[in-house]
Amino acid sequence: MVKTKNIRIVIADSKLKRTFKKELEGANKDQLYNKKIGDKFRGEVVGLTGFEFEITGGSDHSGFPMAKHVESAGRVKLLLSNGFGFKASNKFKGVRQKKGIAGNTISERTTQVNCKIIKWGSIDLMEHFGIKPKEVKVEASAEVVPAA
């Protein structure tokens, strides 16, 4: 059995074109167990009331990516020729290779869950996560006088 750790939630915001990270522990972490890629969950799990998220992926404790087409909570080895988790070089067309892939179900082995916002709440995410927008530097430009 794997020692349970916190789950890192990576939230993608399509309006701001940014991602935000949040660590889950305790009862909030347990609410995500047995959810699959494509499932939706409410923002109260993460501490964002009024928001709704959709799970888009993640990885397990060893860094293996979760695949939507693998119906499992554990890790499997698949023979891949191209596509998710494997890209053959152009000079070796038709090559297949066994690659380790994590299943699409969130379990105790999952350490990162990627999700996107599908319903926005009234909270400003930049303030909530303590991120200050970058200030644009305005250079003092001298006026150029045309030569007469």
Side-chain angles (χ1 to χ4, degrees):
M1 189 64 157
V2 177
K3 192 167 124 180
T4 59
K5 295 183 179 180
N6 298 341
I7 292 181
R8 183 182 322 124
I9 303 290
V10 179
I11 302 166
D13 187 354
S14 60
K15 288 183 180 178
L16 295 175
K17 305 283 191 252
R18 287 192 69 117
T19 59
F20 303 97
K21 295 177 189 158
K22 178 86 175 184
E23 291 277 333
L24 286 186
E25 46 190 45
N28 290 337
K29 174 178 72 169
D30 296 338
Q31 292 180 17
L32 289 179
Y33 289 156
N34 297 324
K35 290 199 180 286
K36 296 183 178 190
I37 295 176
D39 288 352
K40 297 167 180 51
F41 66 94
R42 296 177 52 191
E44 284 78 16
V45 174
V46 186
L48 297 169
T49 55
F51 284 83
E52 191 171 326
F53 303 103
E54 180 181 346
I55 299 170
T56 57
S59 61
D60 69 357
H61 66 284
S62 298
F64 288 94
M66 293 172 67
K68 186 173 186 172
H69 61 276
V70 178
E71 292 288 331
S72 166
R75 195 181 312 150
V76 296
K77 284 199 166 211
L78 299 177
L79 188 62
L80 302 173
S81 60
N82 221 351
F84 182 82
F86 175 67
K87 182 171 179 169
S89 66
N90 288 336
K91 69 179 188 176
F92 297 113
K93 296 266 184 198
V95 171
R96 296 186 301 171
Q97 188 175 8
K98 259 194 176 180
K99 295 298 244 178
I101 303 287
N104 65 355
T105 307
I106 297 174
S107 67
E108 295 84 19
R109 294 175 165 258
T110 307
T111 56
Q112 178 176 321
V113 175
N114 304 331
C115 60
K116 65 180 181 180
I117 301 173
I118 56 173
K119 182 181 172 191
W120 279 262
S122 60
I123 300 171
D124 182 25
L125 291 177
M126 296 289 276
E127 283 182 21
H128 179 76
F129 288 102
I131 299 172
K132 295 179 183 174
K134 293 181 181 176
E135 295 180 11
V136 179
K137 293 182 181 179
V138 179
E139 295 181 22
S141 60
E143 288 186 33
V144 178
V145 179

